Amino acid sequence: MLLTHLSLINFKNCTDISIELNSSVNCFLGNNGEGKTNVLDAIYYLSNTKSYFNSIDSQNIKFGEPFFVAQGKFSINEETTNVYCGVKKGAKKQFKFNKKSYLKLAEHIGKFPVVIITPYDSNLILEGSETRRKFLDRLISQFNKPYLENLIAYNKLLNQRNATLKQMAESQRFNADLLAVIDMQLIEKGNFVHQERKQFLNEFIPIFNHFYKDISNQNEKVTLTYTSTLNDNSFEQLLNDNIAKDRVVTYTTKGIHKDDLEFKIMDDYSLKKFASQGQQKSFLIALKLAQFEYIKKKKGFSPILLLDDIFDKLDESRVNYILQMIAHKKLGQTFITDTSLNKVTNILSKLKVNFKSFEIKQGGATLITEDNQEL
Amino acid sequence: MDFKSKLLNNAVEEMSSLPGIGKRTALRLVLHLLNQSKEEVNQFANSFKLLRENIVFCKICYNISDTEICHICQNKNRDHSIICVVQDIRDILAIESTQQFKGYYHVLGGIISPMDGIGPDDLNIDELILRSKDEKVKEIILALSATMEGDTTNFYLFRKLSESNVKTSVIARGIGIGNELEYTDEITLGRSIIHRSLFESSLSK
């Protein structure tokens, strides 16, 4: 899959950008605050119908302007598609696929997958389990509609159950029948989600392990595990065993809404507390590359890869690893941002990778070099 | 909106308290009423007052009624062996217009939705259980919305009704008549496949 053309008007601080893109690597270079990351975010936006960094649409409009427009030409197997997005203050977001609006934006997500690697990924390690569940849910639901439906139903039932527990505590009247009826439905949805998560991770973890081994040169051992209270006990058993506790705290203490992905180093040490910065970064890159590989496997083509500022934050050997992958054509179309005007391009030239580089300055883009080795 | 008239302000305020009516529509309606004669407006207002003061819930099925027992429950020609459980009077109107149901109704007055603070105790469930114990009643049809709240209520009623000696059935869910298969959502279609019925039984008798 390729993005062949991108044009932006008033998207964040990108005033007016219209660029033809290289099918292999595109570099956006320039100083901080000029809008490099915003270009990447625009690509993410066109894929996911929302910004990676700020989900409030009106805040993605350039200050003082009334609207933004982002347009991209995607092509899959020579078939070109125009994706248009316009957001105007006070109006509904327009999202069009070949000039046709969607009934539901959710239909668009997954059509043109992108994987983004940014310094913000560290939230996956640092923040609570919700961030990791979101990562998991997004990835699975792209390819598994019943999963998403069951998950939504589960969350709704969970809210009903918690509301019931609260009301019973307030009115001091326990209705076992009502709870049993909600539990029965909750168990069905919960078991489905649990099974699908387990199955997904059975497929995903080996891919991850492979990438981590490669990136870290086998120096350290890390583990990615799926933890769920449902792994060892049946959901029904858990709900029954904890009903007394649930009634006291008036919410549901066990279930797949408490699942987590555990990141560990050297078998038993938490990555968050005991791993070095570099190890954490390697871990995240392996995680994202595994995401890339998984999508590629499921879709049958490479997603677009967005690399935000990683050259600043990573040591040389890890950067080289990724660039080697690009050079060996293991990755698809890639977009890179960097502050140095020639660091990345020098390496790419040496690796004989063809690329285009743009200087991003004050919200505009100018072509610096077009290096086409194959011609 | 401030009209410098307390009377007008009040009227618009009251009107816009109705569901689906915003301030502008409320103003239009109020001005319309102002254009009419006093008698006409009195009659209009009175009809609501009378409605609120005189309407009662049927003692048997909890349908809205002018009399103690509603006209459906009064009708002796209907089938005593079937009771159809619905959420409110709108559903009775919908089912009545199909002319396919000849039994009696039972109005729950809502569906179980703890999120909205509606529990089983707020609904006419005990009354239904009582009715189901009548010897004459053979079947209870659950005709509630196909939502999660509807499902929860169905399960709950089923549990409660299991003590009584009646058959509990639920209205069929599937593809709407005249709809194309390919445009049917996956969940409905999936359920239609699982709960497929014998072709013979689909032939009208």
Side-chain angles (χ1 to χ4, degrees):
Chain A
M1 182 183 83
L2 296 174
L3 177 66
T4 53
H5 182 93
L6 179 73
S7 75
L8 304 173
I9 299 170
N10 297 335
F11 182 82
K12 296 192 179 176
N13 69 350
C14 303
T15 321
D16 186 7
I17 287 180
S18 177
I19 43 179
E20 296 293 329
L21 299 163
N22 185 292
S23 62
S24 175
V25 178
N26 295 278
C27 306
F28 301 115
L29 312 169
N31 288 325
N32 288 321
E34 301 282 357
K36 303 182 300 286
T37 301
N38 292 341
V39 180
L40 292 194
D41 196 25
I43 298 171
Y44 186 90
Y45 200 114
L46 289 172
S47 162
N48 290 286
T49 75
K50 59 181 167 222
S51 159
Y52 184 76
F53 302 100
N54 190 343
S55 56
I56 302 168
D57 279 326
S58 61
Q59 291 181 4
N60 289 319
I61 302 172
K62 192 182 172 189
F63 292 130
E65 299 291 339
F67 68 93
F68 83 69
V69 172
Q71 258 178 298
K73 259 187 214 156
F74 290 91
S75 89
I76 298 175
N77 302 330
E78 314 272 293
E79 198 179 314
T80 312
T81 313
N82 269 306
V83 178
Y84 167 98
C85 177
V87 171
K88 208 170 144 183
K89 268 182 194 155
K92 208 179 151 235
K93 165 157 75 182
Q94 295 287 320
F95 211 96
K96 289 177 180 169
F97 178 89
N98 277 342
K99 299 192 175 166
K100 254 182 79 181
S101 291
Y102 281 102
L103 275 179
K104 271 193 205 155
L105 285 180
E107 288 171 37
H108 180 76
I109 298 169
K111 273 192 180 153
F112 306 105
V114 305
V115 172
I116 185 166
I117 302 184
T118 101
Y120 293 94
D121 290 339
S122 55
N123 288 345
L124 276 171
I125 295 179
L126 303 176
E127 284 185 354
S129 59
E130 199 190 335
T131 317
R132 291 182 286 279
R133 274 195 306 276
K134 240 185 204 158
F135 170 79
L136 195 65
D137 291 339
R138 258 191 217 162
L139 191 51
I140 303 176
S141 50
Q142 262 185 44
F143 305 100
N144 191 340
K145 254 201 182 154
Y147 177 82
L148 187 64
E149 274 150 9
N150 274 281
L151 187 68
I152 291 170
Y154 178 90
N155 286 329
K156 219 170 146 187
L157 283 161
L158 184 68
N159 281 335
Q160 300 275 30
R161 188 177 196 267
N162 291 343
T164 308
L165 286 168
K166 246 173 220 118
Q167 274 155 31
M168 286 178 183
E170 274 163 21
S171 65
Q172 310 231 328
R173 278 171 63 197
F174 182 64
N175 186 339
D177 281 331
L178 177 58
L179 211 58
V181 160
I182 295 178
D183 283 0
M184 188 180 86
Q185 298 173 80
L186 193 71
I187 288 164
E188 187 202 324
K189 312 287 178 207
N191 280 337
F192 183 89
V193 171
H194 177 245
Q195 276 308 319
E196 293 296 319
R197 282 183 181 167
K198 227 163 78 181
Q199 207 176 338
F200 164 78
L201 282 154
N202 278 342
E203 214 174 324
F204 187 78
I205 290 174
I207 306 177
F208 166 80
N209 285 340
H210 161 78
F211 278 114
Y212 191 84
K213 225 165 146 188
D214 264 16
I215 295 174
S216 64
N217 298 322
Q218 285 174 300
N219 282 333
E220 60 254 351
K221 190 170 177 281
V222 294
T223 46
L224 168 68
T225 25
Y226 170 49
T227 58
S228 171
T229 42
L230 270 69
N231 280 348
D232 306 317
N233 293 296
S234 84
F235 195 10
E236 192 173 2
Q237 190 69 41
L238 285 168
L239 288 176
N240 286 338
D241 288 353
N242 288 283
I243 183 61
K245 192 177 168 198
D246 286 1
R247 281 178 65 186
V248 173
V249 295
T250 69
Y251 63 82
T252 309
T253 51
K254 293 284 183 313
I256 53 135
H257 58 290
K258 298 275 176 190
D259 284 2
D260 200 356
L261 285 177
E262 239 173 28
F263 301 162
K264 290 218 166 133
I265 187 156
M266 298 193 297
D267 290 328
D268 218 16
Y269 294 95
S270 130
L271 195 75
K272 181 176 163 184
K273 287 184 186 150
F274 297 99
S276 73
Q277 298 251 4
Q279 286 167 328
Q280 292 190 359
K281 278 167 201 151
S282 298
F283 191 95
L284 289 170
I285 288 180
L287 199 66
K288 288 299 183 96
L289 288 177
Q291 180 188 358
F292 180 93
E293 200 59 36
Y294 181 81
I295 294 175
K296 186 174 165 185
K297 207 168 124 191
K298 289 276 160 180
K299 280 269 167 191
F301 59 79
S302 290
I304 286 175
L305 187 63
L306 308 174
L307 303 176
D308 181 26
D309 234 4
I310 57 162
F311 298 92
D312 235 24
K313 305 288 193 290
L314 280 187
D315 59 63
E316 220 165 286
S317 68
R318 282 164 182 141
V319 169
N320 275 333
Y321 174 77
I322 293 181
L323 293 177
Q324 286 291 344
M325 278 185 77
I326 296 172
H328 291 114
K329 299 201 186 309
K330 281 184 187 160
L331 303 175
Q333 192 185 23
T334 309
F335 295 82
I336 301 173
T337 68
D338 195 29
T339 43
S340 154
L341 283 182
N342 47 32
K343 187 171 143 203
V344 184
T345 47
N346 282 345
I347 307 176
L348 288 172
S349 296
K350 257 186 229 151
L351 288 169
K352 298 199 187 319
V353 174
N354 71 47
F355 66 90
K356 250 184 184 181
S357 65
F358 302 90
E359 185 180 4
I360 307 292
K361 207 168 186 183
Q362 291 176 338
T366 41
L367 183 67
I368 315 175
T369 43
E370 184 165 7
D371 196 346
N372 226 335
Q373 309 269 355
E374 278 166 10
L375 292 179
Chain B
M1 273 188 246
D2 185 14
F3 309 114
K4 306 283 177 213
S5 154
K6 228 180 183 169
L7 294 170
L8 185 59
N9 254 344
N10 268 346
V12 170
E13 203 64 45
E14 291 293 334
M15 192 66 87
S16 62
S17 72
L18 296 173
I21 307 280
K23 280 268 160 71
R24 271 168 201 283
T25 315
L27 179 62
R28 210 182 75 211
L29 295 172
V30 168
L31 291 178
H32 173 80
L33 287 174
L34 262 186
N35 275 336
Q36 292 188 305
S37 68
K38 278 187 183 169
E39 292 78 53
E40 278 175 308
V41 178
N42 259 334
Q43 204 186 338
F44 183 82
N46 247 334
S47 66
F48 294 110
K49 242 173 107 183
L50 286 174
L51 171 80
R52 195 65 201 89
E53 274 169 12
N54 294 326
I55 210 140
V56 289
F57 291 103
C58 168
K59 276 196 165 165
I60 299 174
C61 72
Y62 296 87
N63 188 10
I64 293 163
S65 167
D66 291 358
T67 49
E68 231 173 52
I69 292 175
C70 75
H71 72 281
I72 295 178
C73 293
Q74 277 178 14
N75 184 348
K76 294 274 182 283
N77 294 327
R78 298 183 75 108
D79 184 351
H80 281 280
S81 64
I82 308 181
I83 295 176
C84 180
V85 180
V86 294
Q87 193 179 335
D88 62 28
I89 187 172
R90 285 173 294 177
D91 303 331
I92 293 192
L93 296 175
I95 295 175
E96 278 297 282
S97 67
T98 66
Q99 304 195 344
Q100 297 293 324
F101 181 66
K102 292 283 172 257
Y104 292 92
Y105 291 95
H106 187 87
V107 180
L108 284 182
I111 42 177
I112 298 175
S113 174
M115 293 285 287
D116 305 309
I118 304 171
D121 298 342
D122 303 308
L123 309 175
N124 305 318
I125 290 177
D126 293 340
E127 294 82 354
L128 175 69
I129 309 301
L130 216 63
R131 284 180 80 185
S132 72
K133 293 198 167 131
D134 187 331
E135 293 258 302
K136 277 182 268 177
V137 179
K138 299 277 181 269
E139 179 177 356
I140 306 253
I141 306 176
L142 303 176
L144 301 174
S145 305
T147 57
M148 187 171 290
E149 288 77 15
D151 279 343
T152 302
T153 315
N154 280 340
F155 283 128
Y156 186 80
L157 290 177
F158 178 66
R159 231 180 145 88
K160 287 284 174 188
L161 285 167
S162 61
E163 304 156 14
S164 322
N165 195 17
V166 289
K167 192 163 82 179
T168 309
S169 61
V170 65
I171 49 168
R173 284 161 191 190
I175 301 147
I177 307 269
N179 281 5
E180 305 258 359
L181 201 69
E182 58 172 326
Y183 295 119
T184 311
D185 70 286
E186 290 130 70
I187 302 181
T188 308
L189 194 53
R191 252 176 119 146
S192 304
I193 298 269
I194 294 169
H195 299 300
R196 64 190 180 278
S197 53
L198 281 175
F199 188 72
E200 271 175 307
S201 66
S202 74
L203 299 170
S204 44
K205 286 157 207 158

